[in-house]
Amino acid sequence: MRLALYQPDIPQNTGAILRLAACFGLPVDLIEPCGFVFDDRRLRRAGMDYLEHVELHRHRSWDAYQAARTGRPGRLVLLTTKAPMPHVACRFEAADSLLFGRESAGVPDDVHAAADLRIRIPMRPGLRSLNVAMAAAIVTGEAMRQLGFPSS
């Protein structure tokens, strides 16, 4: 399983997601451009000393990310508020890439259309969305639970 961040704009959220990936041993695909300088002190503060434990792959664009995925097994699973399927109804697979959009705008229509599967976190009516780092933790936790992590 992999995590993919589409053009993140908040360094603290990106740092928190990178820390999550380090703790679960998941590689991360960062699809640029970012809305901040990647060596931002706020990113380092949120990620703490966990950042050195992340297998990070930076892609200069969506097209570069798609080219890197060519031939790689697994589905692209987009977390979006526009999905009909709740994340708990999804049967995650070990080769899935979980894609999280920009905090300010999600993902554009072409990226949405490229996903193999779209899921959402159910919430109370009238509320828009969760913080992307919290959403990443919820969905990643469920996926890892289904896949048997940790094994003991």
Side-chain angles (χ1 to χ4, degrees):
M1 180 159 287
R2 305 175 72 87
L3 304 183
L5 308 178
Y6 180 84
Q7 299 181 354
D9 10 53
I10 300 177
Q12 297 93 328
N13 287 338
T14 302
I17 293 169
L18 292 174
R19 183 175 177 176
L20 171 74
C23 289
F24 281 124
L26 300 174
V28 176
D29 292 293
L30 184 75
I31 304 159
E32 298 181 339
C34 294
F36 56 90
V37 177
F38 191 74
D39 66 353
D40 188 293
R41 65 178 171 76
R42 294 168 294 182
L43 173 101
R44 289 191 312 273
R45 183 182 212 171
M48 297 176 61
D49 57 345
Y50 292 79
L51 298 181
E52 65 192 45
H53 301 285
V54 178
E55 180 185 328
L56 179 63
H57 303 269
R58 293 174 69 179
H59 306 276
R60 70 182 184 289
S61 66
W62 171 248
D63 290 339
Y65 170 71
Q66 286 290 73
R69 284 190 67 232
T70 301
R72 185 189 302 160
R75 305 173 299 178
L76 184 62
V77 180
L78 174 64
L79 182 65
T80 172
T81 58
K82 300 172 185 155
M85 178 189 288
H87 74 291
V88 293
C90 179
R91 292 298 137 230
F92 293 97
E93 300 172 4
D96 285 344
S97 290
L98 305 179
L99 177 61
F100 304 95
R102 297 178 67 192
E103 293 88 346
S104 61
V107 299
D109 290 342
D110 63 318
V111 174
H112 200 276
D116 299 302
L117 185 63
R118 292 156 206 84
I119 60 173
R120 67 177 169 77
I121 298 171
M123 296 188 317
R124 290 177 42 201
L127 300 177
R128 255 187 349 267
S129 65
L130 292 166
N131 169 292
V132 71
M134 292 175 72
I138 290 168
V139 172
T140 302
E142 173 61 16
M144 298 308 289
R145 183 194 68 78
Q146 287 183 22
L147 296 171
F149 180 88
S151 58
S152 55

